[in-house]
Amino acid sequence: MTDEEYMRMLDRAFAEVRSTSADTSDFVIPKADSLQQGSKTILRNLGIIAERARRSAADIARYLSRELGVPVSVDGSRLNISGKFSGADLDNRISGYFEIYVVCRECHKPDTRLEGAGRGMFYLVCEACGARYGVKHY
């Protein structure tokens, strides 16, 4: 087979293969559904966020409490936050949680789990690509 025949066959193969886009994932970080009541902010969709992250609502509440610097309490699928915070501010903190504790840094997929490593450290283990790296406890 000559180089010219090989190149023709290769061009034909590439023409028949459907193109794939870089982002074929349907994963979307949920937006904060928040409500301000007096001096408190209520995050109404904590349950949906926790379900999408595949983490417990208490873990996400603990992270948000540390990031916002205020006490929080979980009430079913709602999070009561002491203080007034905008929806955009909560969105930024939630997406920060997903970047650190949910989405794999290698393949950018949310198919991860946390394994304890002791002394306040966890391993973020990707079930899609097998990557494993340490993250600090929240």
Side-chain angles (χ1 to χ4, degrees):
M1 175 182 315
T2 66
D3 287 343
E4 187 177 305
E5 291 173 340
Y6 176 75
M7 291 307 287
R8 257 188 283 130
M9 288 174 50
L10 195 58
D11 288 339
R12 191 175 72 214
F14 277 122
E16 290 182 15
V17 174
R18 66 181 173 108
S19 65
T20 59
S21 67
D23 186 28
T24 58
S25 174
D26 59 349
F27 177 74
V28 176
I29 297 173
K31 297 292 181 194
D33 180 15
S34 62
L35 167 70
Q36 291 184 2
Q37 287 186 343
S39 65
K40 291 189 174 193
T41 304
I42 298 173
L43 180 64
R44 296 187 286 194
N45 62 338
L46 178 66
I48 294 169
I49 294 167
E51 182 180 311
R52 188 74 48 94
R54 294 176 35 192
R55 306 289 187 264
S56 72
D59 288 345
I60 297 171
R62 190 170 33 242
Y63 174 81
L64 288 174
S65 175
R66 183 179 59 102
E67 284 293 308
L68 297 171
V70 295
V72 300
S73 63
V74 178
D75 181 24
S77 66
R78 297 167 54 145
L79 181 67
N80 297 321
I81 304 168
S82 298
K84 291 183 178 181
F85 298 96
S86 67
D89 192 27
L90 293 175
D91 284 338
N92 289 337
R93 306 303 168 117
I94 291 167
S95 64
Y97 178 83
F98 274 79
E99 286 177 22
I100 297 169
Y101 297 106
V102 179
V103 177
C104 176
R105 294 179 200 154
E106 299 295 322
C107 67
H108 307 288
K109 294 189 178 184
D111 305 326
T112 60
R113 69 177 188 281
L114 290 173
E115 290 181 357
R119 294 190 175 210
M121 292 293 291
F122 284 100
Y123 286 118
L124 185 70
V125 180
C126 182
E127 296 171 346
C129 71
R132 178 184 178 104
Y133 42 89
V135 292
K136 190 174 179 182
H137 189 270
Y138 35 87

